[in-house]
Structures are given as C-alpha cells and as structure tokens.
Amino acid sequence: MKSLSLRIAERVAASTDASIGDKNRATFIMLRTEIQSAIDDKCSIFKIWEVLRDDNSINFGYQAFRRYAHQLCSETDE
C-alpha cells in the first residue's frame, strides 16, 4: 500500500484547484524515493534537479527543488 503522503501528493497533483506551489511539492514527494536514492549515491542536488528537469519530470526551478530536498530528504549534500 502507498504511504499516506504519497496518496495525498497524487491527489494534489491531479487537482485542478491546487496552487502551483502545492503541485510542485506534490511532484517532488512523488519522486522522493528516486531523489533520496540519488542523494544516498552522493549525486549533487543540482545534477539531480537538472536530470529531472531535462526529463520533464519536474517543471520548477532549482531553488524550489533545493528547498524541497532539504525539507523532505535526509543528508542532502551539495
């Protein structure tokens, strides 16, 4: 079963009346397992953001991504 935070994030991402910030945070949460894995493998936050942006997995800026990484992931290195 999916975690509650993942289910909430999916609902927010699909919502038509959620704010852009809420949708961006939801997108980050849906990718958090992959992002955390890359962080654990010592990839830089910038490179993770760059690849996800280039893959069109995310469409928000680096500063927002960095903030979410520090808030929602552990042991972030830059």
Side-chain angles (χ1 to χ4, degrees):
M1 175 177 240
K2 294 178 185 176
S3 70
L4 178 58
S5 59
L6 184 56
R7 294 188 334 246
I8 292 168
E10 289 172 345
R11 187 175 288 188
V12 169
S15 173
T16 58
D17 58 341
S19 72
I20 292 172
D22 287 346
K23 285 183 177 259
N24 291 346
R25 186 180 182 91
T27 300
F28 187 97
I29 289 170
M30 291 187 296
L31 295 168
R32 181 170 38 192
T33 301
E34 285 185 80
I35 294 166
Q36 184 65 59
S37 179
I39 290 169
D40 292 345
D41 289 341
K42 304 300 182 200
C43 297
S44 75
I45 299 296
F46 181 79
K47 285 298 181 187
I48 298 167
W49 169 79
E50 192 173 49
V51 168
L52 291 173
R53 183 204 57 200
D54 291 348
D55 290 346
N56 292 317
S57 297
I58 60 170
N59 62 359
F60 49 92
Y62 174 67
Q63 292 304 320
F65 184 85
R66 185 173 170 266
R67 184 175 59 250
Y68 297 141
H70 285 282
Q71 290 173 351
L72 302 170
C73 293
S74 60
E75 297 185 27
T76 57
D77 291 330
E78 293 191 52

